Amino acid sequence: MLLLGALLTGCASGTITNLTAKQQFRNDNGFYPIEAAFASSQQSLIWPSIRPVAISGKEPFPMHLTTLMTNRWETIIPAPPGAKVIYYRFKFDYSYNGFGPVKDNSKLSPVYRLQILDK
């Protein structure tokens, strides 16, 4: 019965891996690159439907596929002048085939910390 329930809810069986360095040197433009990988064994997942964003504060920053990769996304996030730390997380929205119409689901990462170092 539990297995049937998991199949009906779509199993958010994805794994988000943060690929961003924990520290970056302060730069002049105030934007810092971040990157994540998404892996899933959910066979009903529709891979082209994945819509990832990075969230810093309350702002979502759309992510785009990393060149030559099929499961890695990247974006840049801003830091206020003088900030020493940026907190962010990733959210992956996606669709999957279920019983009946296509369904939507999402996976949210934990909060990550990027330390900005002065040169």
Side-chain angles (χ1 to χ4, degrees):
M1 202 59 154
L2 289 174
L3 180 60
L4 180 59
L7 288 172
L8 291 174
T9 60
C11 302
S13 62
T15 301
I16 299 172
T17 303
N18 183 15
L19 302 172
T20 309
K22 292 181 181 182
Q23 301 175 334
Q24 293 184 32
F25 284 106
R26 185 172 309 282
N27 61 43
D28 294 335
N29 67 13
F31 287 92
Y32 298 88
I34 59 173
E35 184 177 4
F38 183 75
S40 177
S41 60
Q42 182 178 338
Q43 295 195 8
S44 61
L45 189 140
I46 303 168
W47 281 92
S49 74
I50 296 175
R51 301 166 306 279
V53 294
I55 303 166
S56 181
K58 294 183 180 182
E59 284 293 314
F61 298 92
M63 300 180 76
H64 61 275
L65 270 171
T66 303
T67 306
L68 302 176
M69 303 302 289
T70 60
N71 70 334
R72 293 183 182 190
W73 288 264
E74 61 189 0
T75 192
I76 55 173
I77 57 175
K84 297 202 180 284
V85 174
I86 305 171
Y87 294 97
Y88 64 95
R89 66 190 328 173
F90 300 107
K91 183 179 181 196
F92 282 75
D93 293 325
Y94 60 90
S95 300
Y96 66 95
N97 292 310
F99 295 107
V102 170
K103 297 180 178 13
D104 294 321
N105 207 343
S106 65
K107 182 76 174 180
L108 189 62
S109 76
V111 175
Y112 299 106
R113 180 180 189 268
L114 172 61
Q115 184 177 6
I116 302 171
L117 303 173
D118 292 318
K119 294 181 183 177

